[in-house]
Amino acid sequence: MKKLITTFALMSASFGIMAAQPTLPLKSGQILNATSVSQVVLNEGETRSNLWFSIETNRVEGTSTYHLSNCTLSADVKLQAGQFNLQTKQLRCISDKGDIFTDKDIQAQILATTNELCTSKQGSCSEVTLHSGSSYTFEVKNASELVAEFNAMREVNKSRLEMSN
């Protein structure tokens, strides 16, 4: 019986046969408080990929029954023609029970102007510094959802624990 359950769980992951996964909604205009995980200095014409921000979990979990232990927002940044551009990529949160919620295409904007982040030379932005540990605020542009990822091994282990009890 155990082999049957294990086989079915693994087949479900392989063939995409799974129940609807839980979600955490994000509303348009929702504010996310963030802290830069590492320091980044951009000079004119430079880009950085996969910059991480730690997000305050209470801004994401809202009134859900999930208690999040960690949330990270990844983004690509560039400084071109004196303008700072930040493109968010993914928001990923982990619950205290091990559930992983992901929005793989989050649309959010940083609520800081180029002038607030910029070091100017001769009236033009020539360098942007995001300091490690500094706080920044993001606003969700389009309503979306963080979807719980299906973890086949977690399901197998859960069924093993249930059978042993």
Side-chain angles (χ1 to χ4, degrees):
M1 184 67 171
K2 288 181 183 180
K3 285 184 179 181
L4 177 65
I5 292 171
T6 303
T7 302
F8 179 71
L10 293 174
M11 285 175 50
S12 296
S14 300
F15 298 115
I17 303 168
M18 62 186 91
Q21 298 298 315
T23 61
L24 293 172
L26 292 174
K27 297 176 186 167
S28 180
Q30 187 170 340
I31 299 298
L32 303 175
N33 295 330
T35 304
S36 182
V37 173
S38 60
Q39 180 166 313
V40 172
V41 178
L42 289 177
N43 291 304
E44 177 60 40
E46 290 185 331
T47 63
R48 294 285 189 280
S49 296
N50 210 24
L51 177 64
W52 287 17
F53 294 89
S54 175
I55 302 292
E56 288 182 7
T57 57
N58 64 329
R59 293 293 188 148
V60 178
E61 64 190 24
T63 58
S64 76
T65 58
Y66 293 97
H67 298 286
L68 304 176
S69 61
N70 182 316
C71 289
T72 52
L73 175 69
S74 63
D76 294 337
V77 293
K78 68 180 175 182
L79 179 60
Q80 189 167 17
Q83 291 295 312
F84 175 68
N85 184 2
L86 183 141
Q87 180 65 44
T88 54
K89 292 172 34 177
Q90 177 175 278
L91 178 61
R92 176 172 257 188
C93 298
I94 301 171
S95 77
D96 58 3
K97 293 183 180 174
D99 298 300
I100 300 171
F101 292 88
T102 305
D103 181 345
K104 294 183 180 181
D105 189 29
I106 185 168
Q107 302 289 311
Q109 65 187 21
I110 192 167
L111 297 181
T113 65
T114 299
N115 291 340
E116 293 172 316
L117 303 171
C118 181
T119 302
S120 295
K121 288 185 182 173
Q122 301 170 350
S124 176
C125 182
S126 59
E127 181 180 278
V128 168
T129 304
L130 299 173
H131 297 280
S132 176
S134 290
S135 296
Y136 301 95
T137 303
F138 287 84
E139 180 180 10
V140 175
K141 287 197 255 182
N142 300 322
S144 65
E145 294 181 328
L146 285 98
V147 178
E149 295 179 10
F150 183 76
N151 183 338
M153 289 312 299
R154 182 167 185 259
E155 296 303 316
V156 168
N157 289 336
K158 192 189 305 182
S159 66
R160 285 180 183 163
L161 286 172
E162 288 171 358
M163 294 185 84
S164 68
N165 290 334

